Amino acid sequence: MAQDSSQQALPAATPARALLPTVVPALVVGVVASLVLVGVSTAAEELQDVLWQDLPDALGVGGYSVLWMSVVLVATGIAVGLVVWKVPGHAGPDPATTGLDAPVLPPAVLPGLLPATAFMLAGGPSPGPENPIIAVNVSLAVWAGLRAFPQTREQGWVALAEAGTIGALFGTPVAAALVISEALAGQRIKGRLWDSLFAPLAAAGAGALTISLVSEPSFDLRLPPFGQPGWGDLLASLVLAPVGALLGMCAVYAFPYVHGAFRRLRHPMLMLPAGGLVLGVLAALGGHLTLFKGLDEIAVLARDPDGWSAGEFATMTVVKPAALLVAAPCGFRGGRIFPAVFVGTALGLSAHALVPGVPPAVGVSAGVLGILLAITRQGWVSLFVAAVLVVSPGILVLLCIASLPTWLLVTGRPLMQLREDGTAVR
């Protein structure tokens, strides 16, 4: 009898005939979301080549000299400031208030948000593309989906667009499944969890497959091989993950104050160029590898883990979150996951340089886990990103254990995201 009652308590499964009609819209949304990401990224890369190679070569100046970095970052602030000031929609909401759960924006906002994102990616500020690209794709999916299928729910199109974009950003649908699962954890859903994940997973798979056919993304840093974990590796991960979290929490707690300081300038043509100037100073301190979103730059660090001293890695570890702390509050549109991965990588390699007995794979994965838990408070995504950087089954054991004390440090504390009134989101 107990077995019968427990079976009756299980939610009813959604029939296949209800799931099948969602496949084609999900695939379309996933492909389009991926193409939007590819389009913005390609445009940004072309402009980046002009700004950081062609122009300085033509002028006979160093592409990453202190002067040129400052000039380009201030010019980027002016360009984005003009878009925010003059283009209808003002390039969307304040970037300090946005996260992966993107708002549905009016279509008129998107022509400003897309170039503002491309300028930011090309010009060198630290944010990644995730937040604005998700916002663009969500808004496009809702606008087109509700016109094509008026009887559908807006939230369904939001889930498809978010999943498709996350699948494209990380090159795998697994990341999207983890994000959606975590979002569903606090909601009442109809049917089984996998029923709710069916269409978003199709969108994520389409987005990931499209991006892999176009650009072959890979998060594997190809660090020196790591075998079975030992007690020393466990100790290193238990130390480095909380250290990364504490570093992230320092930035999180400073975030509202830096945001308030830039808000006092009131106008985007003051806030963004001023932010660019500060970012130029930080780039001079940290070097050119602390520019941009950080994904290509961590590959440079990983190719030669012993190529920098512990002090140089430590400098990057401090400068990059400082740059991220400035970029969003002053108005640069972008996300915080990719630069956080750079911070965690630099932290882990600094630990390896300081204590050679710490394998680079252990240091990097633990550092990334800690900083992501602090900034995003998304456990599954933090574990996934930290593990995918180092293709080794033994790493996952260490990360799962290290996540426990690290979570105790960050749970219940503010996020690196603000409400419209400037107070921190918890």
Side-chain angles (χ1 to χ4, degrees), residues 61-392:
V61 298
Y64 292 112
S65 65
V66 172
L67 175 61
W68 189 252
M69 289 191 294
S70 299
V71 167
V72 173
L73 285 162
V74 172
T76 302
I78 293 172
V80 177
L82 283 170
V83 173
V84 175
W85 180 26
K86 290 296 187 181
V87 176
H90 307 291
D94 182 348
T97 65
T98 61
L100 292 179
D101 50 341
V104 179
L105 304 174
V109 174
L110 307 188
L113 183 55
L114 286 168
T117 303
F119 291 156
M120 180 278 298
L121 292 172
S126 288
E130 59 271 24
N131 291 3
I133 296 298
I134 290 175
V136 169
N137 285 332
V138 163
S139 304
L140 286 175
V142 169
W143 178 81
L146 293 182
R147 276 156 181 77
F149 304 97
Q151 303 305 316
T152 55
R153 295 174 60 245
E154 176 180 293
Q155 191 56 39
W157 296 104
V158 170
L160 293 183
E162 287 184 347
T165 311
I166 293 170
L169 283 164
F170 293 99
T172 170
V174 176
L178 294 174
V179 171
I180 299 295
S181 298
E182 199 156 1
L184 291 174
Q187 302 178 15
R188 296 185 65 181
I189 58 176
K190 294 181 180 180
R192 308 285 177 87
L193 174 62
W194 200 252
D195 294 332
S196 297
L197 288 176
F198 182 83
L201 193 57
L209 182 59
T210 302
I211 202 81
S212 65
L213 292 173
V214 174
S215 61
E216 300 181 359
S218 175
F219 277 75
D220 181 9
L221 296 181
R222 295 179 174 85
L223 289 164
F226 175 75
Q228 292 298 317
W231 291 110
D233 302 323
L234 177 60
L235 177 62
S237 61
L238 286 171
V239 171
L240 285 173
V243 168
L246 290 174
L247 177 62
M249 290 310 302
C250 289
V252 166
Y253 277 107
F255 198 65
Y257 299 100
V258 178
H259 181 265
F262 278 106
R263 292 301 107 178
R264 291 189 184 95
L265 296 177
R266 296 182 180 276
H267 199 284
M269 289 302 294
L270 294 176
M271 292 187 294
L272 281 149
L277 183 61
V278 176
L279 292 174
V281 174
L282 291 171
L285 295 173
H288 72 275
L289 289 177
T290 58
L291 294 171
F292 308 109
K293 64 183 180 184
L295 198 56
D296 294 333
E297 288 68 31
I298 63 172
V300 174
L301 296 181
R303 278 198 294 268
D304 187 12
D306 300 311
W308 289 265
S309 68
E312 289 171 323
F313 280 125
T315 300
M316 295 183 213
T317 304
V318 173
V319 167
K320 188 69 171 181
L324 182 60
L325 187 57
V326 169
C330 78
F332 285 111
R333 272 59 182 163
R336 297 176 265 286
I337 289 180
F338 289 107
V341 172
F342 179 95
V343 177
T345 300
L347 173 63
L349 294 178
S350 176
H352 166 70
L354 192 63
V355 183
V358 176
V362 173
V364 167
S365 58
V368 169
L369 173 68
I371 192 79
L372 283 178
L373 282 174
I375 287 178
T376 69
R377 208 77 81 252
Q378 297 204 358
W380 285 124
V381 172
S382 301
L383 276 169
F384 169 79
V385 174
V388 81
L389 295 172
V390 182
V391 182
S392 171

Side-chain angles (χ1 to χ4, degrees), residues 15-56:
R17 65 177 179 273
L19 296 177
L20 279 174
T22 66
V23 172
V24 172
L27 295 178
V28 171
V29 169
V31 171
V32 172
S34 182
L35 292 177
V36 170
L37 173 63
V38 170
V40 173
S41 299
T42 301
E45 288 167 5
E46 294 294 329
L47 180 57
Q48 181 178 330
D49 289 341
V50 172
L51 293 175
W52 297 97
Q53 295 180 19
D54 299 343
L55 270 179

